[in-house]
Every structure is written in C-alpha cells, then in structure tokens.
Amino acid sequence: DQQVKQNSPSLSVQEGRISILNCDYTNSMFDYFLWYKKYPAEGPTFLISISSIKDKNEDGRFTVFLNKSAKHLSLHIVPSQPGDSAVYFCAVMYFSGTSYGKLTFGQGTILTVHP
Amino acid sequence: DGGITQSPKYLFRKEGQNVTLSCEQNLNHDAMYWYRQDPGQGLRLIYYSQIVNDFQKGDIAEGYSVSREKKESFPLTVTSAQKNPTAFYLCASRTVNTGELFFGEGSRLTVL
C-alpha cells in the first residue's frame, strides 16, 4: 500500500521551460512535505519543503505547491536548466506533537532537461 | 566540516556472508535512519533510531540488524537472511524537531 505516489517515472523538458513534478499522498494526517534531488551514486539533497499550513513555498527557481483537499503536491522549476537533470523524490511526514515521524518517500521522477 | 560519512562506498559480498555498513555523523543529530534504494521503488526505510540505545523497524527490516551504542554511529548489518541484498544503501540523520533529513553519499552493495 503506497502512501506516496509519483505517477510519472520520467519527464523531459527543454532548457528554459517549466518543469512540473507531481506527487500524491493518501493519508490526510501528513503535515510536512519535502522534495529531494538525487544524482546517480550520491545521497539525496534537500531541495524545498512546505508545511500543511501553507499552500505555496518559493525558493529561487523552485516552488512547491500543496493542495490539501486533493492530497497533491507539486514542484515547479522555472526556468529549467540542464544541471537540474536528476531524480526527484517527494517525501511526507507528520508531526506527532513531540517530534516528527519517519519520512516516507515516493518512487521518484527522473527529470531530463535538454539544452 | 559537519556531515554524514558512509563506508565503504562500494562493497562486494558472497552469498551467505554477513556485511556491516558504517554510518557516522558529526551533526549532533538525535535521529538516524537507514534507507534502501532500488530502481523504480524509491527509498524504503529499513531501520531508524531516535535516541541512543533505541531503534525501530522500518518497512523492510527483515534480514537486517542495527545498533545505536553512540549518538554519532548507526551501523547496519545485512545478514545472510536478506533475500535480495544487492542495492544502494543510504544513511540519514536529523534532529527530532525538524523534518529535513540529511543524507550520506551512500554505499552500493553487490552480492555475487
């Protein structure tokens, strides 16, 4: 039973255009959402996060949108650059009241940005 | 420099052998995690520990064991009972009051 799904295994985008990566989750208790970027044979690096009290968070070229009613999360990269080519994972967690619980990851989406 | 160090980066093992992967962090983080990455399956949680001398099973703990004797260290043993051990293993840590996980560079285990 997958609690977090990234339904697109891959995405190909032209340099300078927008990349939109999507993520769906099933449990409405999740209240903190993160995106990680991963290059081959390396550990993931944190990109951007959003808590459930917000519906948008921006950091430079990266914006995360949260639609709680649809249980849907998306990452927008504008403009896309060839160096953005990597695997992107969304991750979700909930706050128990005293600490954050474990992080659950989606399957990942391979983004390729063509020059 | 603060960070998470995993070793070895590459490891080969014969079937039937146990192997231990090292994870050390100097970030003073309370919680540490082990994930496994397989193609098309994302990152799956093996074990995690939120405090020294305590740890919990994740989603795929069978065939693995861990210990947390020191705050800085969280080694993972892949035992011969793990049916499909060839994978990329990732260690991570964080403080319990924040959501963001910091990852090591990973260890690739290949069983011959």
Side-chain angles (χ1 to χ4, degrees):
Chain A
D1 180 26
Q2 283 183 312
Q3 298 191 69
V4 187
K5 288 184 182 177
Q6 293 177 252
N7 290 317
S8 298
S10 62
L11 175 66
S12 184
V13 171
Q14 204 69 28
E15 182 179 7
R17 308 294 286 266
I18 185 171
S19 295
I20 300 177
L21 298 134
N22 294 303
C23 178
D24 296 298
Y25 59 96
T26 56
N27 191 336
S28 58
M29 284 189 63
F30 292 131
D31 57 11
Y32 197 69
F33 308 87
L34 306 90
W35 284 95
Y36 281 83
K37 176 180 178 179
K38 185 182 181 302
Y39 294 115
E42 293 184 10
T45 54
F46 170 73
L47 207 51
I48 193 169
S49 64
I50 188 168
S51 74
S52 59
I53 61 173
K54 292 185 174 183
D55 54 20
K56 178 182 173 182
N57 188 26
E58 281 183 82
D59 184 1
R61 296 186 297 114
F62 302 91
T63 303
V64 56
F65 294 92
L66 177 63
N67 183 334
K68 289 188 290 294
S69 60
K71 297 192 187 69
H72 180 79
L73 185 68
S74 65
L75 174 68
H76 292 209
I77 306 174
V78 183
S80 301
Q81 299 173 353
D84 295 330
S85 298
V87 180
Y88 289 79
F89 292 98
C90 66
V92 302
M93 63 170 53
Y94 66 89
F95 188 69
S96 68
T98 55
S99 66
Y100 281 102
K102 63 183 185 180
L103 211 57
T104 300
F105 286 84
Q107 308 93 310
T109 296
I110 302 170
L111 174 64
T112 304
V113 181
H114 299 284
Chain B
D1 266 18
I4 301 174
T5 303
Q6 288 187 240
S7 63
K9 192 165 177 67
Y10 298 97
L11 184 62
F12 296 89
R13 177 196 103 176
K14 290 183 180 178
E15 275 193 33
Q17 290 180 335
N18 291 355
V19 62
T20 297
L21 306 179
S22 168
C23 179
E24 303 278 332
Q25 54 99 0
N26 60 4
L27 300 167
N28 199 33
H29 285 170
D30 304 299
M32 297 187 74
Y33 301 77
W34 275 104
Y35 286 87
R36 167 180 171 145
Q37 185 190 10
D38 296 283
Q41 296 206 49
L43 304 177
R44 293 183 292 166
L45 182 63
I46 303 172
Y47 267 99
Y48 64 105
S49 166
Q50 295 192 295
I51 196 169
V52 174
N53 292 323
D54 188 41
F55 48 83
Q56 287 79 41
K57 292 182 179 180
D59 302 316
I60 54 164
E62 186 176 349
Y64 299 98
S65 66
V66 294
S67 63
R68 187 87 187 276
E69 297 175 3
K70 298 187 300 182
K71 186 176 185 179
E72 303 79 18
S73 179
F74 191 42
L76 173 75
T77 297
V78 185
T79 75
S80 56
Q82 167 49 233
K83 291 182 171 48
N84 188 16
T86 294
F88 190 57
Y89 291 88
L90 287 157
C91 179
S93 71
R94 68 174 186 209
T95 65
V96 292
N97 294 323
T98 65
E100 181 189 341
L101 274 179
F102 292 84
F103 282 88
E105 290 294 297
S107 294
R108 179 163 296 282
L109 171 64
T110 302
V111 174
L112 305 172

